[in-house]
């Protein structure tokens, strides 16, 4: 294969001539006759040949213009006609897919339509049409994806006009799967009904919202619902704050103590720990509750847990839960 074949990047072509003028003009044709696209027969003959002129790519500041000889074949086995198909060249278009993708990526990267009209010698309407074509193609590819087995669901504020949006995350691959407007069952119903692979979801991680829990039970029947660690830790802290309010209402009003009580103990400085211990020394019951709460949060924020370590930590964790129940 000649170097020009590598530059073109279109398999199955034979280059007949190359001429450099203002642009680089390349004349090429098919390397061999294909089998019949209708019956896969080998008995095909060339009925006619027509020429196609396509913009292919840019070499430096010069445009590569491809003059393609396209045969029309006749299959003697099935008596049907067909035209030669080339990889990366769609019928009835005046540019190859390589050139269209080049324009799309440049425009998607921030190059304006006006700039592209000068560098690629196409109209601004063509840039817009090609851009929308590739966007629709990518959307159709993404819409056919199967739902991940480990799914995260959360809500986010979108705009004042649109309200909230629901974000679906593939937690196994750490990627956003989809974003859908709305957070109620009514607004998400049509999307969830046509979501492919939702019966294969095994784990759903979400906050403590009862709305999302009902959605998960209804549309993901085979999934186990798991509360994410952030909301569980926040719930533990909320209950501790209520107990503190009941046990020592005056101490609960102290903003300095309130700030220290809310934080994880291992994130406090030495001075902050000393101030907190001085207060807790006067309240032995509250001191026991505080360190039990810190121990529970320590279990909840563990991230690097494998099966062996989880089995080892399970016994003290269950003992701590039993202590809270008493």
């Amino acid at each position: 294969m000649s170097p020009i074949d590598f530059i073109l990047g279109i398999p199955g072509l034979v280059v007949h001539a190359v001429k450099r003028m203002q642009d680089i003009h390349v004349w090429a044709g098919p390397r061999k006759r294909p089998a019949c696209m209708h019956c896969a027969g080998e008995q095909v003959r060339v009925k006619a040949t027509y020429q196609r002129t396509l913009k292919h790519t840019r070499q430096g500041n010069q445009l590569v213009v491809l003059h393609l000889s396209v045969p029309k074949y006749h299959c003697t086995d099935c008596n049907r006609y067909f035209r030669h198909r080339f990889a990366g060249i769609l019928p009835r278009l005046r540019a190859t897919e390589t050139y269209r993708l080049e324009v799309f990526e440049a425009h998607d990267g921030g190059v304006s339509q006006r700039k592209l009209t000068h560098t690629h010698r196409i109209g601004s309407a063509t840039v817009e049409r090609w851009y929308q074509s590739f966007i629709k193609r990518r959307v159709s590819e993404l819409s056919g994806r199967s739902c991940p087995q480990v799914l995260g669901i959360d809500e986010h504020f979108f705009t004042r006009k649109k309200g909230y949006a629901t974000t679906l995350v593939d937690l196994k691959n750490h990627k956003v799967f989809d974003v859908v407007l709305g957070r109620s069952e009514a607004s998400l119903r049509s999307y969830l009904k046509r979501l492919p692979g939702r019966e294969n979801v095994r784990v759903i991680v979400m906050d403590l919202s009862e709305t999302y829990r009902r959605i998960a039970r209804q549309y993901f029947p085979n999934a186990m619902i798991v509360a994410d660690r952030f909301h569980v830790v926040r719930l533990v802290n909320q209950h501790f704050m209520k107990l503190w309010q009941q046990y020592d209402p005056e101490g609960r009003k102290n903003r300095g103590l309130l700030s220290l009580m809310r934080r994880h103990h291992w994130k406090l400085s030495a001075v902050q720990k000393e101030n907190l211990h001085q207060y807790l020394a006067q309240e032995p019951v509250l001191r026991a509750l505080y360190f039990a709460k810190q121990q529970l949060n320590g279990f909840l924020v563990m991230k690097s847990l494998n099966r062996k370590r989880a089995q080892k930590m399970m016994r003290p964790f269950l003992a701590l839960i039993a202590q809270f129940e008493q």
Side-chain angles (χ1 to χ4, degrees), residues 237 240-241 244-245 250-263 268 276 279 290 293:
N237 288 332
F240 175 75
M241 291 299 173
W244 185 21
Q245 175 69 30
E250 294 300 324
R252 174 69 172 76
K253 296 177 183 178
N254 190 311
R255 289 190 176 183
L257 287 175
L258 180 63
S259 175
L260 297 178
M261 287 288 199
R262 282 176 172 171
R263 303 184 196 180
L268 298 178
L276 183 59
Y279 168 73
Y290 172 78
K293 186 262 293 187

Side-chain angles (χ1 to χ4, degrees), residues 74-168:
H74 174 235
C75 177
T76 57
D77 292 337
C78 63
N79 200 30
R80 300 178 70 177
Y81 297 88
F82 65 97
R83 299 183 188 276
H84 196 101
R85 299 292 178 88
F86 298 93
I89 301 177
L90 298 181
R92 298 180 297 277
L93 297 183
R94 299 180 182 179
T96 63
E97 288 298 287
T98 303
Y99 193 69
R100 286 158 51 87
L101 181 61
E102 181 181 323
V103 172
F104 166 77
E105 291 181 342
H107 193 39
D108 191 54
V111 182
S112 64
Q113 292 184 3
R114 184 174 182 180
K115 182 68 174 178
L116 288 172
T117 58
H118 293 292
T119 57
H120 289 71
R121 298 214 297 275
I122 53 177
S124 59
T126 302
V127 176
E128 182 68 23
R129 187 171 64 252
W130 289 0
Y131 184 81
Q132 292 185 8
S133 174
F134 274 95
I135 288 294
K136 291 179 180 178
R137 187 182 304 178
R138 291 193 176 184
V139 168
S140 64
E141 291 174 355
L142 293 176
S143 62
R145 296 176 301 169
S146 180
C147 198
Q149 292 187 351
V150 183
L151 184 66
I153 301 179
D154 201 1
E155 62 180 16
H156 298 281
F157 182 75
F158 191 62
T159 61
R160 289 186 178 181
K161 184 177 181 180
K162 300 292 185 179
Y164 282 84
T166 297
T167 304
L168 307 178

Side-chain angles (χ1 to χ4, degrees), residues 13-57:
L13 279 184
V14 174
V15 177
H16 302 308
V18 179
K19 189 174 183 181
R20 286 183 174 271
M21 295 178 284
Q22 182 181 0
D23 299 321
I24 302 176
H25 293 263
V26 179
W27 285 264
R31 186 176 298 276
K32 61 180 181 179
R33 296 182 186 180
C36 178
M37 62 179 299
H38 303 291
C39 67
E42 298 291 338
Q43 301 299 322
V44 295
R45 67 183 184 90
V46 178
K47 172 67 175 178
T49 302
Y50 73 101
Q51 299 292 324
R52 289 185 66 182
T53 302
L54 306 108
K55 296 176 181 178
H56 178 49
T57 185

